[in-house]
Amino acid sequence: MLTAIFFLFCGVGSAQAQIMKAADLERYAKERYGDRWLDAAANLAHGLELDKNESLTYQQVIEAPGKTRQQLYVALNYWATATFKDKQAITLNDKEVGCIIISSTIKDIVEHTGTINKYAVSITPVIRIDIKEGRIRVTYTVQNYDILADTSGGWLSVPDENKKTYGDSKRKADDKTNARLYDEQWEIARHYPFVEKDPQKRTCSKALVMTHAYSNAVMDKIQEAVKNGLVGNEDDDW
């Protein structure tokens, strides 16, 4: 069993239903790791391990000297509710315990054309914030890539002239009307770079880099909310 606990201090910002849009995330990842996804994933793998549940997990403790547990809870609750518009995203919000848990899907962080199939990759990180006097701990975990595959979208596949397929990757999760589209879950531990011989190597290389980049964005935005509030003027001097 592997364990990946990282302490990250990076910067980025743009919030919609989550921390940032997939297009912004890709630009951010390219700026830091380049656009050679296989090389970037291999380089990241030297410092990455998986936790006991074979999930990719990052953890950071953020110090907030002089701020009470209640002040931190209010600031982080404000940040979470303003950032994640989906009412179902915040799965736990317990003031007494001092814990906020968020689970929100980032759609289509990777779109890749393979030999037979075309893939759209999404992730659903679980973000846990534990709050104490003067500090918080953030844990970010992803176990699977959520895959939407199009059997007519690969380089060698035969397209269906009468039916739009890959464009339907925006379809709702429960829409099963197109037989050429199917859903899979790929466990991160079973794919590159944690497994060298992987038929989905190129898809998973970019997926890993994008997942790693998003963890940086999450940590940065929470750190900013703790230190300066969501908009910078949430103090008691009013």
Side-chain angles (χ1 to χ4, degrees):
M1 299 292 182
L2 310 160
T3 188
I5 307 295
F6 270 30
F7 297 86
L8 307 169
F9 298 88
C10 299
V12 70
S14 174
Q16 50 153 358
Q18 60 268 341
I19 304 297
M20 63 197 312
K21 297 177 183 179
D24 296 328
L25 179 61
E26 180 162 345
R27 284 192 293 272
Y28 173 69
K30 285 181 177 179
E31 287 173 1
R32 283 149 184 81
Y33 310 112
D35 59 2
R36 298 174 63 89
W37 304 112
L38 282 169
D39 292 343
N43 290 334
L44 285 174
H46 293 305
L48 290 178
E49 294 181 346
L50 304 175
D51 66 18
K52 66 180 183 179
N53 297 313
E54 297 192 323
S55 300
L56 188 62
T57 296
Y58 304 84
Q59 193 172 86
Q60 178 180 340
V61 175
I62 299 173
E63 302 292 340
K67 293 193 176 182
T68 66
R69 188 167 175 261
Q70 181 174 345
Q71 287 174 321
L72 290 171
Y73 172 81
V74 170
L76 289 164
N77 181 56
Y78 183 23
W79 171 81
T81 54
T83 300
F84 298 92
K85 305 302 184 183
D86 180 1
K87 293 180 180 180
Q88 307 301 316
I90 301 175
T91 60
L92 178 67
N93 194 341
D94 194 318
K95 182 178 180 180
E96 296 303 316
V97 174
C99 183
I100 301 171
I101 298 178
I102 303 159
S103 179
S104 181
T105 298
I106 319 304
K107 294 288 290 182
D108 303 330
I109 62 167
V110 177
E111 293 185 353
H112 180 252
T113 301
T115 305
I116 303 300
N117 298 327
K118 195 167 186 178
Y119 300 106
V121 183
S122 303
I123 57 171
T124 306
V126 177
I127 304 164
R128 173 172 175 150
I129 307 172
D130 294 296
I131 305 165
K132 291 186 176 182
E133 293 286 324
R135 61 180 176 152
I136 69 165
R137 182 180 64 189
V138 185
T139 307
Y140 166 105
T141 301
V142 182
Q143 187 170 36
N144 303 306
Y145 301 129
D146 297 313
I147 308 299
L148 179 63
D150 176 8
T151 61
S152 68
W155 294 112
L156 298 181
S157 58
V158 178
D160 187 335
E161 299 295 338
N162 299 315
K163 181 175 280 190
K164 182 180 178 182
T165 56
Y166 191 65
D168 296 340
S169 64
K170 311 302 180 186
R171 68 174 170 82
K172 295 180 180 179
D174 59 353
D175 179 3
K176 308 299 183 184
T177 58
N178 190 339
R180 290 182 176 269
L181 296 176
Y182 63 95
D183 299 286
E184 294 182 336
Q185 277 197 332
W186 295 353
E187 294 180 47
I188 292 177
R190 304 288 179 262
H191 288 274
Y192 188 82
F194 302 106
V195 173
E196 180 61 32
K197 293 184 178 181
D198 179 9
Q200 287 85 32
K201 190 172 187 176
R202 292 188 178 277
T203 304
C204 291
S205 292
K206 185 175 180 180
L208 178 76
V209 176
M210 295 284 277
T211 300
H212 180 80
Y214 190 69
S215 75
N216 284 296
V218 167
M219 297 296 188
D220 179 73
K221 298 305 291 184
I222 293 176
Q223 187 175 23
E224 176 66 19
V226 166
K227 293 189 174 182
N228 301 312
L230 185 66
V231 296
N233 61 359
E234 302 96 326
D235 54 35
D236 293 328
D237 186 16
W238 56 279

